[in-house]
Amino acid sequence: MPAEGGKTDMERIGLFSEMGYITIGDKYVSQFNRPFNEPASKNKQMLPGGSKEMSNLQAGYFDPHFVRIFEGEGYVSLNQVRRRHMMEETKKNLGKAFLPSNGNKKLCGLGSYYGTIGGPVPFFSVQSKPREKYEAPGKNLYTNPGKKGTGYGYANVTIGKQFSHSADFYDAAKLNYKKENEKHQKLLKGAPFKLNLYPRAYFDTNPYLSEKTLPPIKKVEKKDILANPFKPSSPGKKAGGMKAGTFEPYPSHSADPYVGKLTSQTSSKDVKIFHPPGGPKSRPIESIMTLNVKRSLNMKNYKTASLQSY
């Protein structure tokens, strides 16, 4: 429809022609009622003859008859090949085959040497060796019967003599230790040696503990308190431009004319130019993380070490 300005809608949009409508006149088919594969139900389809199962019958193979790998090859018997090989090996023999003169002799019984080459061995003979005549030992030693008593609390019961009685003091060990200690103290010279490098903890439990003896207590001197406050004899003098308030008289003025040094007096050889020393220079500092990586990763284990651990 033309608008108020006299232009149609297509002219206002800026298109060359109106877009076509594809679905005009087509029947609406719902998306749920559409077939899954339309061409599968049209025209002729490929119908295979079914799957073949593997069996001894020829129907289980693709070819109509059994096909051999080699056509017209000769049949070879393995027994025939073995016999030919044995005949070739017998041709290599120089003489006839070795045959023993007689058959093996059978043993007559257990322990017999019949059929052996060497015969009986004298070391395995059953005969007993000659021995010396047995002489019976003499009679046992006859002693007097044992003394009666258990031994504890009975005198003259043991084999040896009776032990003599010896006195034993009750505090013998204590007295002996006391005598040895007195001898040791006499041999000592001076006080015991003390080393200042004895290992101790960083901080003592009692910071005020000291091994030195304390000095005598000092008496606090009491200051005499004056009853009347101090007053100066006269008030301070005020500065009136003539230095009347100072303790000493004003120093006299001395004229000192300023005279500059000539260039001839100063020479570059005698006087050196002052150069201030350089300040502290910074150094490259590695971080703690870089140092830990260098310690754990070195030239020996850099191939086997995993990157995930760093």
Side-chain angles (χ1 to χ4, degrees), residues 255-269:
D256 187 8
Y258 173 76
V259 180
K261 292 184 178 181
L262 300 175
T263 56
S264 60
Q265 294 178 1
T266 60
S267 60
S268 60
K269 294 181 180 179

Side-chain angles (χ1 to χ4, degrees), residues 111 113 116 118-130:
Y113 296 93
T116 58
V121 182
F123 295 100
F124 296 103
S125 62
V126 190
Q127 295 179 2
S128 59
K129 296 180 180 179

Side-chain angles (χ1 to χ4, degrees), residues 94-105:
L94 299 176
K96 295 180 180 180
F98 172 75
L99 295 174
S101 59
N102 295 321
N104 297 333
K105 296 181 180 180

Side-chain angles (χ1 to χ4, degrees), residues 143-178:
T143 59
N144 293 329
K147 297 179 180 180
K148 295 181 180 181
T150 56
Y152 181 74
Y154 292 88
N156 298 324
V157 177
T158 57
I159 300 174
K161 295 181 180 180
Q162 189 70 18
F163 293 103
S164 61
H165 176 69
S166 60
D168 189 9
F169 296 101
Y170 179 74
D171 292 336
K174 189 176 180 181
L175 295 172
N176 293 335
Y177 174 74
K178 189 176 180 181

